[in-house]
Amino acid sequence: MTRTPSMNSAQLIVDNDFEVAKVNKRLFGSFVEHLGRCVYTGIYEPGHPTADVDGFRQDVIDLVRELGATTIRYPGGNFVSGYRWEDGVGPKDQRPRRLDMAWHSTETNQFGLHEMARWLDKVGGNELMEAVNLGTRGLEDAMDLLEYANIPGGTKLSEERRANGADKPFDIRMWCLGNEMDGPWQLGHKSAEDYGTLVSSVAAGMRQMDPDLELVVCGSSSHGMPTFGAWEETVLSKAYDLVDFVSCHAYYQPHDGDMASFLASGVDMDGFIKDVAATIDATKARLKSKHDVFISFDEWNVWYSDAEASRNPEGIGNWPVAPHLLEDVYSVADAVVFGDLMITLLKNADRVHAASLAQLVNVIAPIMTEPGGPAWRQTTFYPFSITARLAKGGTVLEPKLSSSQVSTPKYGDVDGVNAVAVRGADGSVSVFAVNRSLDTPAEFEVRIGEDLRSKAGLTVEAQTLHDDDINAKNTRDAQNRVTPQANDTVEFDAQSGTVKLTLPAVSWTAIYMK
Amino acid sequence: MTRTPSMNSAQLIVDNDFEVAKVNKRLFGSFVEHLGRCVYTGIYEPGHPTADVDGFRQDVIDLVRELGATTIRYPGGNFVSGYRWEDGVGPKDQRPRRLDMAWHSTETNQFGLHEMARWLDKVGGNELMEAVNLGTRGLEDAMDLLEYANIPGGTKLSEERRANGADKPFDIRMWCLGNEMDGPWQLGHKSAEDYGTLVSSVAAGMRQMDPDLELVVCGSSSHGMPTFGAWEETVLSKAYDLVDFVSCHAYYQPHDGDMASFLASGVDMDGFIKDVAATIDATKARLKSKHDVFISFDEWNVWYSDAEASRNPEGIGNWPVAPHLLEDVYSVADAVVFGDLMITLLKNADRVHAASLAQLVNVIAPIMTEPGGPAWRQTTFYPFSITARLAKGGTVLEPKLSSSQVSTPKYGDVDGVNAVAVRGADGSVSVFAVNRSLDTPAEFEVRIGEDLRSKAGLTVEAQTLHDDDINAKNTRDAQNRVTPQANDTVEFDAQSGTVKLTLPAVSWTAIYMK
Amino acid sequence: MTRTPSMNSAQLIVDNDFEVAKVNKRLFGSFVEHLGRCVYTGIYEPGHPTADVDGFRQDVIDLVRELGATTIRYPGGNFVSGYRWEDGVGPKDQRPRRLDMAWHSTETNQFGLHEMARWLDKVGGNELMEAVNLGTRGLEDAMDLLEYANIPGGTKLSEERRANGADKPFDIRMWCLGNEMDGPWQLGHKSAEDYGTLVSSVAAGMRQMDPDLELVVCGSSSHGMPTFGAWEETVLSKAYDLVDFVSCHAYYQPHDGDMASFLASGVDMDGFIKDVAATIDATKARLKSKHDVFISFDEWNVWYSDAEASRNPEGIGNWPVAPHLLEDVYSVADAVVFGDLMITLLKNADRVHAASLAQLVNVIAPIMTEPGGPAWRQTTFYPFSITARLAKGGTVLEPKLSSSQVSTPKYGDVDGVNAVAVRGADGSVSVFAVNRSLDTPAEFEVRIGEDLRSKAGLTVEAQTLHDDDINAKNTRDAQNRVTPQANDTVEFDAQSGTVKLTLPAVSWTAIYMK
């Protein structure tokens, strides 16, 4: 029997001397896949009123800058497993139209590697994370793409890049070695044994060309795969010293109306990370390696994958260009789960050195556009942009958290409040917290140690994302229906370093102390 | 001790309520491989007196129509394992000449996918069953061929097909995923494990493009392969739910003059089918699958594979175009075995949903041609054409057969008479029977149940293929030396539904009741 | 405790009736890899004062003829595992510049298969041993290269060869199926299981085109590989009947100044050969094969692989054309070890039917060149050229050798003198001997049986390579600092067939009796 008191409570204690890890700026990566309208009529729409000479939507560029995304994973995703990178370079009128199996679409190839690199230049401050196709292709093509992208000049492919307008190499540092190769839905999916063999030869070859590459090997495509764990063990056993990251992917949605478990999705993500970290550690020990492998959580989000909008077109003659696909519209509740996932990533910043919000525009995305029309922010935009702004460059502090429990069908009793604190480079302290309870607000107390107080504890501000209607959403016609609001319940005792405030049921809050 | 009485006897009882299965019209498929003169100077011979504007021999088209073959497997066979499908499309004068390892020949590529499709259109009523090359090639090329063949338009490869003259897609339903990949003679042959991995990714990929494809996975290339059974188990374990058919191939010939066993070849084919069916059932049970897999017996015939005519040319400089290869000339005895194989396929119509007589013209074929000269029917033409005509669209009835035994060195004592009955859509009943005895005629009695009698039992005709010289053959200069003749021993008792007739030693007979 | 007497002693007894094997002329093969300056400014340097119309250096051709090398392995080595053979054919101005991962260089492809074949024609009497790329490539490309090289004409690729100036096929007999595929440094390196599967399909396919090819399967890339032995067993189990040779590679250098062990390197090579031979025999027995597989020792030499000169350039932008790489300058001591390796190969002539001195020019080579300048002989040139001249066409006699022992840290006590005798086709007898001792000369007695004496025992000459400075070398400016000298200690007793002479410490000697 679980009683629901009128008010839950939680306490977070942090101290300057107890750190988890520096926040890798790659934690705030995102993902642009050739899927639906992420590229076409998303970031790229020649003829749009705001489009520049390259066909890039300026309104979207502005929102991407505001979002604060860093590393951008490209071009897939499932898409990459049938992709021929050379289709997307050279004169646009000679680029072939191809079928995309992953999303039952026609790929016009009007946007490719050069366009992506140029777009990132215009956004500014971002980094490209490129994926190679290990579905229909293998070593030779991966090497060719790397030569095309990263060799300054003097060879056939690097000179082709230069002739195609990029005099300097793209100098791409981070590479995904295929995508979700364990998934039966993946074109050319493989056994762990076969993928391990292939990826070790591809990783070794790519390093012979560019030794400092940071390579991401495919982990399981979800925590729930039947081969989870065994896959990681087999693949890492073959490729451990050759790679820098193993990937994790996770998407969350309510199942059968179970909102309580949905709101506690961070519990699953936390367990997922810890399971993969354990496999990494065990492999490192077994191989007696000196090398460290980290986690690239390069697909994560709330995704209503059962919904009509996530269905591909059907039929042998139905391969649309840039269809409406996966255009989930996010509620307040979704944004709270989303915020919790970010808190979970931060709490595991010692193991998770990169993460990509999937995806950036239109496709399960924080930014939505209308073709020919406006662009706007979804509810999930705010937890991302605020966390990225406050946490980038900071250090995660060891969180001593105690909280009232809430009951969930899927995870049992879990912390009603999840929270993490980040110390900024300037000495400020930011705390991110969610109240996972469906119906009960929580009294939340934060105590920061003396060292922190001396630098940070002068002023406190808090912003909360919440709505009495947890299904409230932003849409084209109500673009600002949901936005974060100042939390006016903050009480601050500067002497003891204690902040108290109320977290409404189903809410996300950022507290900034400076 | 086996006595040889002066007359054997056999009885076949059928009843309307006891059915095996409907006869799939694909049971009457055949096979056109780029081998010897099957294509060149077989179905395709520009300059031949009967050739049409496309270079197709009209005399052959007429015989193919008469033969009644349905699905045509193409373009191999062993040939496909080194084939590059794109060599055979586009302007003929730009098509490359290639070496064919399988038959030590030069392939001019003057005939390819477009020509095959157009030829089938002209024959009328046939279906193309296309094979992909999994010997020297893999997933990407299989996908490309499927796009070229089946996608209506709007992509690079489908538009190339249209530019090459086929505005509408070929819409090929049935695909062979490689050929005899277990055979050491096969270019790029593989272990069951490796083929299973490859074929599951190819099947999954092709289905992503065209979900309703009917896919044939390679079974063992003969019943006698050392890996028979284990191969099927391993491959099906990896690909069961992704495929619709597993292939069987069988060729029969007398060994060391043992005609008795040769005449009982149907016994081996029957055992082969039952063995593969058992493996399918066991795999389905183990995987708890709801999916059914059937047998495509896509190579079967009498073949004197030890004969001089079956030898490839030798020598690094000796790669002839369309050489005389495998041009077996069939005797009456061969046609009787051939007819028995057809009876065996029909008796297993519940498991065998497709079969391909290998091959159609010149190469171990029912139809022979002379370059620049005539085309004629081999002895085997008749059992095929008559069975196809009478059984197509019908339903195989459960055959209760009792027969005198004949003794064979290879199979021990076997039924001297083999027979099956098919109920036509119009209520007619056709019975196909062989007398396997080398020296003794058989008194054959057919009893049909009352239900059948009411619709079918009015008139009875029987045709028998037989000759006192069991080695009698049809040749260019004696094209009609052997033809079926009316069997004048038929006695019909309409009231009891009983037909009696004599089957000469080494004979094939069709009985038609209407 | 090992005493060092003032003089060691050794005795070699040979008899006409006791033979090891005929000397395969392929034992005197060498190796031209696209590595450093072996090709460019080595054998090929348009503009050099001695260059002919094809750009081949005549001074180098003269030295290669004098060296007496037979079969030339080409184009790698590690280089081949990323090589696209078609880059190196066709008009030179259209050939692509490519990166070479193996040696961190730029390959201009100005020299390719046609140039190699034409160069060998000019040298005269040599044979090309071609390697196919099984790193980034597989079956289809291997078949294409074979068609291009060996098919007389009438097909796309053979006609391309003819159009490119080679009307007649190159008719290459000996092919390496990849290079060192067990090595983690090798582009596309594979497990024994995967390489075995691949190589068996490539070997079978190539034989379908050209049945008489002699195929070399990759053995371990050194005796010291952790997978040595197991690799050979797995690979041969899959491909035994399809191949003719298994490769061995070995390089020797002093480690930590241990010259005593270095001088006994032949002991290791001998053990390596015997280990591989045992695996061949065991596999043959297990498979009940009638087929014989021999050893192709297709990389061997002294190589200071730890030296600065062996390092590849580094850096993403640093891919030089024909850099100075592996340009080891050989001392007298190196030449003595080198001579001992040749003696070891001869002693195993029953198992080693081919060997390639790695390499021919500039790269750990007997011949050095200066771009635009002279070419000269290294110390190792002499043991090779003299052994090749005297032993080619002969028969190795069973050597009954007894010798004082010398102590080595690595191999324990070993024969101080190693020696072998070869009977020439003309009845002459040649003996090759090294004194491995660092400080003590040896009294060496050779006794030849009566049969030999009657034909050979008339005159005796001996040449010794030695210098009081065991580090003495030949350089551009002292090209003849080290050369063999007549050994004036020879005493010959024609009646008893006994030759006696003194072998200085650290020396190599050839004795010729006629």
Side-chain angles (χ1 to χ4, degrees):
Chain A
M1 296 278 291
T2 306
R3 288 178 309 118
T4 306
S6 61
M7 183 70 99
N8 287 329
S9 66
Q11 186 186 48
L12 176 71
I13 303 175
V14 292
D15 189 279
N16 210 18
D17 290 332
F18 295 83
E19 300 177 351
V20 172
K22 292 210 61 161
V23 178
N24 194 311
K25 73 173 184 173
R26 283 177 173 155
L27 270 189
F28 305 102
S30 188
F31 180 26
V32 171
E33 182 168 2
H34 285 251
L35 192 182
R37 300 195 303 113
C38 187
V39 170
Y40 302 107
T41 73
I43 64 178
Y44 176 77
E45 187 180 348
H48 187 272
T50 75
D52 65 15
V53 63
D54 289 312
F56 303 147
R57 286 181 64 149
Q58 188 61 46
D59 56 350
V60 172
I61 286 178
D62 292 344
L63 285 175
V64 171
R65 284 182 186 145
E66 181 185 332
L67 183 69
T70 54
T71 310
I72 303 293
R73 188 167 172 247
Y74 177 82
N78 297 346
F79 173 78
V80 83
S81 291
Y83 186 53
R84 315 181 203 212
W85 66 269
E86 69 276 18
D87 286 351
V89 305
K92 287 192 178 186
D93 58 358
Q94 293 168 31
R95 297 187 191 173
R97 291 166 69 92
R98 297 277 189 195
L99 295 177
D100 164 34
M101 291 305 106
W103 307 106
H104 214 281
S105 307
T106 294
E107 172 56 50
T108 64
N109 282 306
Q110 293 304 294
F111 190 97
L113 178 56
H114 285 262
E115 289 74 26
M116 189 65 201
R118 189 192 307 269
W119 182 81
L120 285 171
D121 278 349
K122 288 193 171 176
V123 174
N126 295 78
E127 175 196 19
L128 178 52
M129 171 185 181
E130 180 80 10
V132 299
N133 171 1
L134 298 186
T136 53
R137 299 188 147 193
L139 175 56
E140 193 171 70
D141 290 300
M143 301 290 289
D144 282 352
L145 171 53
L146 179 58
E147 177 183 332
Y148 186 90
N150 280 10
I151 293 293
T155 66
K156 180 167 193 289
L157 293 171
S158 56
E159 291 299 328
E160 282 180 14
R161 181 201 67 237
R162 297 180 68 199
N164 288 333
D167 187 56
K168 290 195 181 160
F170 298 126
D171 192 27
I172 304 169
R173 293 296 91 206
M174 201 165 169
W175 293 77
C176 298
L177 304 177
N179 175 70
E180 296 185 356
M181 300 309 302
D182 62 328
W185 59 84
Q186 197 75 201
L187 205 56
H189 78 273
K190 293 175 175 62
S191 70
E193 194 73 23
D194 287 347
Y195 174 64
T197 297
L198 174 62
V199 85
S200 69
S201 87
V202 172
M206 292 178 72
R207 283 199 187 292
Q208 286 184 337
M209 195 181 300
D210 197 345
D212 302 328
L213 297 179
E214 298 178 66
L215 301 179
V216 186
V217 76
C218 292
S220 295
S221 47
S222 85
H223 199 190
M225 293 295 286
T227 49
F228 173 75
W231 171 275
E232 278 79 0
E233 187 182 323
T234 302
V235 170
L236 285 177
S237 293
K238 293 194 165 211
Y240 188 87
D241 281 325
L242 292 165
V243 300
D244 303 288
F245 296 90
V246 59
S247 72
C248 291
H249 292 181
Y251 294 101
Y252 298 97
Q253 66 182 312
H255 291 284
D256 303 321
D258 174 10
M259 289 297 289
S261 298
F262 174 56
L263 284 162
S265 295
V267 172
D268 178 78
M269 181 190 251
D270 189 69
F272 188 4
I273 293 167
K274 290 190 169 33
D275 288 349
V276 173
T279 306
I280 292 171
D281 290 349
T283 305
K284 181 179 177 184
R286 193 173 63 249
L287 301 180
K288 297 179 174 53
S289 173
K290 304 286 188 204
H291 176 65
D292 283 317
V293 169
F294 296 98
I295 291 171
S296 169
F297 214 118
D298 46 36
E299 292 190 25
W300 70 267
N301 205 346
V302 172
W303 177 19
Y304 287 74
S305 62
D306 303 335
E308 181 68 27
S310 287
R311 297 239 175 84
N312 294 347
E314 286 179 4
I316 186 74
N318 188 13
W319 300 85
V321 173
H324 289 270
L325 265 180
L326 284 66
E327 300 194 3
D328 287 15
V329 181
Y330 291 116
S331 68
V332 168
D334 296 331
V336 171
V337 170
F338 183 102
D340 194 1
L341 298 177
M342 294 200 82
I343 290 166
T344 306
L345 291 171
L346 284 170
K347 287 173 101 165
N348 290 283
D350 52 338
R351 309 307 294 251
V352 183
H353 280 202
S356 295
L357 162 62
Q359 298 190 3
L360 187 61
V361 184
N362 287 327
V363 173
I364 50 171
I367 299 168
M368 297 299 287
T369 72
E370 192 180 70
W376 62 96
R377 301 166 194 81
Q378 293 232 52
T379 57
T380 54
F381 185 98
Y382 298 105
F384 192 98
S385 63
I386 294 170
T387 307
R389 177 163 49 81
L390 296 179
K392 219 180 285 178
T395 300
V396 178
L397 298 171
E398 181 73 37
K400 183 167 163 41
L401 177 70
S402 56
S403 169
S404 301
Q405 301 291 291
V406 297
S407 178
T408 73
K410 195 161 174 186
Y411 307 112
D413 286 354
V414 304
D415 286 345
V417 169
N418 192 23
V420 69
V422 176
R423 184 188 63 226
D426 61 355
S428 64
V429 174
S430 297
V431 175
F432 309 98
V434 284
N435 183 353
R436 293 161 167 174
S437 172
L438 265 166
D439 46 24
T440 312
E443 184 70 18
F444 183 46
E445 179 183 289
V446 179
R447 282 171 45 194
I448 63 175
E450 204 163 339
D451 283 0
L452 286 167
R453 239 176 294 156
S454 61
K455 292 178 195 153
L458 302 175
T459 63
V460 175
E461 296 165 26
Q463 280 190 296
T464 292
L465 191 79
H466 170 71
D467 199 283
D468 289 343
D469 175 6
I470 66 170
N471 292 314
K473 299 171 168 104
N474 294 336
T475 60
R476 184 216 183 285
D477 297 322
Q479 298 179 6
N480 298 305
R481 166 70 182 81
V482 180
T483 57
Q485 303 296 327
N487 187 313
D488 58 7
T489 68
V490 173
E491 296 172 29
F492 177 43
D493 176 353
Q495 202 155 3
S496 67
T498 305
V499 179
K500 286 187 183 170
L501 73 170
T502 301
L503 307 178
V506 190
S507 68
W508 174 88
T509 297
I511 306 158
Y512 178 70
M513 297 177 245
K514 165 109 188 162
Chain B
M1 297 279 292
T2 305
R3 288 179 307 116
T4 306
S6 62
M7 183 72 98
N8 288 330
S9 65
Q11 187 186 46
L12 176 72
I13 303 174
V14 292
D15 188 280
N16 210 19
D17 290 332
F18 295 83
E19 300 177 352
V20 172
K22 292 209 62 160
V23 177
N24 195 310
K25 73 172 185 174
R26 283 177 173 155
L27 270 189
F28 305 103
S30 187
F31 179 26
V32 171
E33 181 168 4
H34 285 250
L35 193 181
R37 300 194 305 112
C38 188
V39 170
Y40 303 106
T41 73
I43 64 178
Y44 176 78
E45 187 180 348
H48 187 272
T50 75
D52 65 14
V53 61
D54 289 313
F56 302 148
R57 286 180 64 148
Q58 188 61 47
D59 56 349
V60 173
I61 287 178
D62 292 342
L63 285 175
V64 171
R65 284 183 188 144
E66 181 185 333
L67 184 69
T70 54
T71 310
I72 303 292
R73 188 168 173 247
Y74 177 83
N78 296 345
F79 173 77
V80 83
S81 291
Y83 187 53
R84 316 181 203 213
W85 65 268
E86 69 276 16
D87 286 351
V89 305
K92 286 192 179 186
D93 58 358
Q94 291 167 33
R95 297 187 191 173
R97 290 166 69 92
R98 296 278 189 196
L99 295 177
D100 164 34
M101 290 306 106
W103 307 106
H104 213 281
S105 307
T106 294
E107 173 55 51
T108 63
N109 282 305
Q110 293 304 293
F111 190 97
L113 179 55
H114 286 262
E115 289 74 26
M116 189 65 200
R118 189 192 307 269
W119 182 81
L120 286 172
D121 279 349
K122 288 194 172 175
V123 174
N126 295 79
E127 174 195 20
L128 178 52
M129 172 185 182
E130 180 82 11
V132 299
N133 171 0
L134 297 186
T136 53
R137 298 188 149 192
L139 176 56
E140 194 170 70
D141 290 300
M143 302 290 287
D144 283 352
L145 171 54
L146 179 59
E147 178 183 331
Y148 186 90
N150 280 11
I151 292 294
T155 65
K156 180 167 194 290
L157 293 171
S158 56
E159 292 299 329
E160 282 179 13
R161 182 201 66 238
R162 297 180 69 200
N164 288 334
D167 188 55
K168 292 197 180 158
F170 298 124
D171 192 26
I172 304 169
R173 292 296 93 207
M174 202 165 171
W175 293 77
C176 298
L177 304 177
N179 175 71
E180 296 186 356
M181 300 308 302
D182 61 328
W185 58 84
Q186 197 76 199
L187 205 56
H189 78 272
K190 293 175 176 61
S191 70
E193 193 73 23
D194 287 347
Y195 174 64
T197 298
L198 173 63
V199 85
S200 70
S201 88
V202 172
M206 291 177 73
R207 283 200 186 292
Q208 287 184 339
M209 194 181 300
D210 196 344
D212 302 328
L213 296 180
E214 298 178 66
L215 301 179
V216 185
V217 77
C218 292
S220 295
S221 46
S222 85
H223 199 190
M225 293 295 287
T227 50
F228 173 75
W231 171 275
E232 279 78 2
E233 187 182 323
T234 302
V235 169
L236 285 176
S237 292
K238 293 194 164 209
Y240 188 86
D241 281 326
L242 291 165
V243 300
D244 303 289
F245 296 90
V246 60
S247 71
C248 291
H249 292 180
Y251 294 101
Y252 297 97
Q253 65 181 312
H255 291 283
D256 303 322
D258 175 8
M259 289 298 290
S261 299
F262 174 55
L263 284 162
S265 296
V267 173
D268 179 78
M269 181 191 250
D270 189 70
F272 188 4
I273 293 168
K274 290 193 169 32
D275 287 349
V276 173
T279 306
I280 292 171
D281 290 348
T283 306
K284 181 180 177 182
R286 193 174 62 249
L287 300 180
K288 296 178 175 54
S289 173
K290 304 285 188 203
H291 176 65
D292 283 318
V293 169
F294 296 99
I295 290 171
S296 170
F297 213 118
D298 46 35
E299 293 189 23
W300 69 267
N301 205 346
V302 172
W303 176 19
Y304 287 74
S305 63
D306 303 335
E308 181 67 27
S310 286
R311 298 237 176 86
N312 293 348
E314 286 180 5
I316 187 72
N318 188 13
W319 301 84
V321 174
H324 289 272
L325 266 180
L326 284 65
E327 301 194 4
D328 288 15
V329 180
Y330 291 117
S331 69
V332 168
D334 297 332
V336 171
V337 170
F338 184 102
D340 195 2
L341 299 178
M342 294 200 83
I343 290 167
T344 306
L345 292 170
L346 284 169
K347 286 173 103 166
N348 290 284
D350 53 338
R351 310 306 296 251
V352 183
H353 280 202
S356 295
L357 163 60
Q359 300 190 5
L360 188 60
V361 184
N362 286 328
V363 173
I364 50 170
I367 299 168
M368 296 299 287
T369 72
E370 191 181 71
W376 63 95
R377 301 166 194 82
Q378 293 232 50
T379 57
T380 54
F381 186 97
Y382 298 104
F384 192 97
S385 63
I386 295 171
T387 307
R389 177 163 50 81
L390 297 180
K392 219 181 286 179
T395 300
V396 178
L397 298 171
E398 183 73 36
K400 183 167 162 42
L401 177 71
S402 56
S403 169
S404 302
Q405 301 291 290
V406 296
S407 178
T408 72
K410 195 161 175 186
Y411 308 111
D413 287 354
V414 304
D415 286 345
V417 170
N418 193 22
V420 69
V422 176
R423 184 186 65 227
D426 61 356
S428 64
V429 174
S430 299
V431 175
F432 308 97
V434 285
N435 183 354
R436 293 162 167 173
S437 172
L438 265 167
D439 47 24
T440 312
E443 184 70 17
F444 183 45
E445 179 184 287
V446 180
R447 282 171 48 194
I448 62 176
E450 202 162 340
D451 283 1
L452 286 167
R453 241 177 292 158
S454 61
K455 292 178 197 154
L458 301 176
T459 63
V460 176
E461 297 164 27
Q463 280 189 297
T464 292
L465 191 79
H466 170 71
D467 198 283
D468 290 341
D469 175 5
I470 65 172
N471 292 315
K473 301 173 167 104
N474 295 335
T475 60
R476 185 216 183 284
D477 297 322
Q479 298 180 6
N480 298 306
R481 165 70 181 84
V482 180
T483 57
Q485 303 296 327
N487 187 312
D488 57 8
T489 68
V490 174
E491 296 172 28
F492 177 42
D493 176 355
Q495 201 154 2
S496 67
T498 305
V499 179
K500 285 186 183 171
L501 72 172
T502 302
L503 307 179
V506 190
S507 68
W508 173 88
T509 298
I511 305 159
Y512 178 69
M513 297 178 244
K514 167 108 185 162
Chain C
M1 295 277 293
T2 305
R3 286 178 309 118
T4 306
S6 61
M7 183 71 98
N8 287 329
S9 65
Q11 186 186 47
L12 177 73
I13 303 175
V14 292
D15 189 279
N16 210 19
D17 290 332
F18 295 84
E19 300 177 352
V20 172
K22 291 210 62 162
V23 178
N24 195 310
K25 72 174 185 173
R26 283 176 172 156
L27 270 189
F28 305 102
S30 187
F31 179 25
V32 170
E33 181 168 3
H34 284 251
L35 192 182
R37 301 195 303 113
C38 187
V39 171
Y40 303 106
T41 73
I43 63 178
Y44 177 77
E45 187 179 346
H48 186 273
T50 75
D52 64 15
V53 62
D54 289 313
F56 302 148
R57 285 180 66 149
Q58 188 61 46
D59 56 350
V60 172
I61 286 178
D62 293 342
L63 286 175
V64 170
R65 284 182 186 146
E66 181 185 333
L67 184 69
T70 53
T71 310
I72 303 292
R73 189 168 173 247
Y74 176 82
N78 296 344
F79 173 78
V80 83
S81 292
Y83 186 54
R84 316 182 203 212
W85 65 269
E86 69 277 18
D87 286 352
V89 304
K92 287 192 179 185
D93 59 357
Q94 292 168 33
R95 297 186 191 173
R97 289 166 70 92
R98 297 278 189 196
L99 295 177
D100 163 34
M101 290 306 106
W103 306 107
H104 214 282
S105 307
T106 295
E107 173 55 51
T108 63
N109 282 306
Q110 293 305 293
F111 190 97
L113 178 56
H114 286 263
E115 288 75 26
M116 189 65 200
R118 188 192 307 269
W119 183 80
L120 285 172
D121 278 349
K122 288 194 173 176
V123 173
N126 295 79
E127 175 196 19
L128 178 52
M129 172 185 182
E130 180 81 11
V132 299
N133 171 0
L134 297 185
T136 54
R137 299 187 149 192
L139 175 57
E140 194 170 69
D141 291 300
M143 302 290 289
D144 282 352
L145 171 54
L146 179 58
E147 177 183 332
Y148 187 91
N150 280 11
I151 293 293
T155 66
K156 180 167 194 290
L157 293 171
S158 56
E159 291 299 328
E160 282 180 13
R161 181 200 68 237
R162 297 180 68 200
N164 288 334
D167 187 56
K168 292 197 178 156
F170 299 125
D171 192 27
I172 304 170
R173 293 295 92 205
M174 202 166 170
W175 294 77
C176 298
L177 305 177
N179 175 69
E180 296 185 355
M181 300 309 301
D182 62 328
W185 58 85
Q186 196 76 200
L187 206 56
H189 78 273
K190 293 175 176 60
S191 69
E193 194 73 23
D194 287 347
Y195 174 65
T197 298
L198 174 63
V199 86
S200 69
S201 88
V202 172
M206 291 178 72
R207 283 199 188 291
Q208 287 184 338
M209 196 181 299
D210 196 345
D212 302 327
L213 296 180
E214 297 178 67
L215 302 179
V216 185
V217 76
C218 293
S220 294
S221 46
S222 85
H223 199 192
M225 292 295 287
T227 49
F228 173 75
W231 172 274
E232 279 78 1
E233 187 182 325
T234 302
V235 170
L236 285 177
S237 294
K238 293 193 165 211
Y240 188 86
D241 281 327
L242 292 165
V243 300
D244 303 288
F245 297 90
V246 60
S247 72
C248 291
H249 292 180
Y251 294 101
Y252 297 97
Q253 65 182 311
H255 291 284
D256 305 321
D258 175 9
M259 289 298 290
S261 299
F262 174 56
L263 283 162
S265 295
V267 173
D268 179 78
M269 181 190 250
D270 189 70
F272 188 3
I273 292 168
K274 291 193 168 31
D275 287 350
V276 173
T279 306
I280 291 172
D281 290 347
T283 305
K284 182 179 176 183
R286 193 173 62 250
L287 300 180
K288 297 179 175 51
S289 174
K290 304 284 189 205
H291 176 66
D292 283 317
V293 169
F294 296 97
I295 291 172
S296 170
F297 214 116
D298 47 35
E299 293 191 23
W300 69 268
N301 205 347
V302 172
W303 176 18
Y304 288 73
S305 63
D306 303 336
E308 181 67 27
S310 286
R311 297 237 177 85
N312 294 346
E314 285 180 5
I316 186 75
N318 188 14
W319 301 85
V321 173
H324 288 271
L325 265 179
L326 284 66
E327 301 194 3
D328 288 14
V329 180
Y330 291 117
S331 68
V332 167
D334 296 332
V336 170
V337 170
F338 183 103
D340 194 2
L341 299 177
M342 294 200 82
I343 291 167
T344 305
L345 291 170
L346 284 170
K347 287 172 103 166
N348 290 283
D350 54 337
R351 310 306 295 250
V352 183
H353 280 202
S356 295
L357 162 61
Q359 298 189 3
L360 188 61
V361 184
N362 287 327
V363 173
I364 49 170
I367 299 168
M368 297 299 286
T369 71
E370 191 180 71
W376 63 95
R377 301 165 193 81
Q378 293 232 51
T379 57
T380 54
F381 186 97
Y382 299 105
F384 192 97
S385 62
I386 295 170
T387 307
R389 177 163 50 81
L390 296 179
K392 219 181 286 178
T395 299
V396 178
L397 298 171
E398 182 72 36
K400 181 166 164 42
L401 178 71
S402 58
S403 170
S404 303
Q405 301 290 291
V406 296
S407 178
T408 72
K410 196 161 173 187
Y411 307 111
D413 286 355
V414 304
D415 286 346
V417 170
N418 193 22
V420 68
V422 176
R423 184 187 63 227
D426 60 356
S428 64
V429 174
S430 298
V431 174
F432 309 97
V434 284
N435 182 354
R436 292 162 167 172
S437 172
L438 266 166
D439 46 24
T440 311
E443 184 69 17
F444 183 46
E445 179 183 289
V446 180
R447 281 173 45 194
I448 62 175
E450 203 161 340
D451 283 359
L452 287 167
R453 240 178 294 158
S454 61
K455 293 177 196 157
L458 303 175
T459 62
V460 175
E461 295 164 28
Q463 281 189 295
T464 292
L465 192 78
H466 169 70
D467 199 284
D468 289 343
D469 175 6
I470 65 170
N471 292 315
K473 299 171 168 106
N474 295 335
T475 60
R476 185 217 183 285
D477 297 322
Q479 297 179 8
N480 298 305
R481 166 69 181 83
V482 179
T483 57
Q485 302 297 327
N487 188 312
D488 57 8
T489 68
V490 173
E491 297 171 27
F492 177 43
D493 176 355
Q495 200 155 5
S496 67
T498 306
V499 179
K500 285 187 185 170
L501 72 172
T502 302
L503 308 177
V506 191
S507 68
W508 175 88
T509 298
I511 306 158
Y512 178 70
M513 296 176 248
K514 165 109 189 163

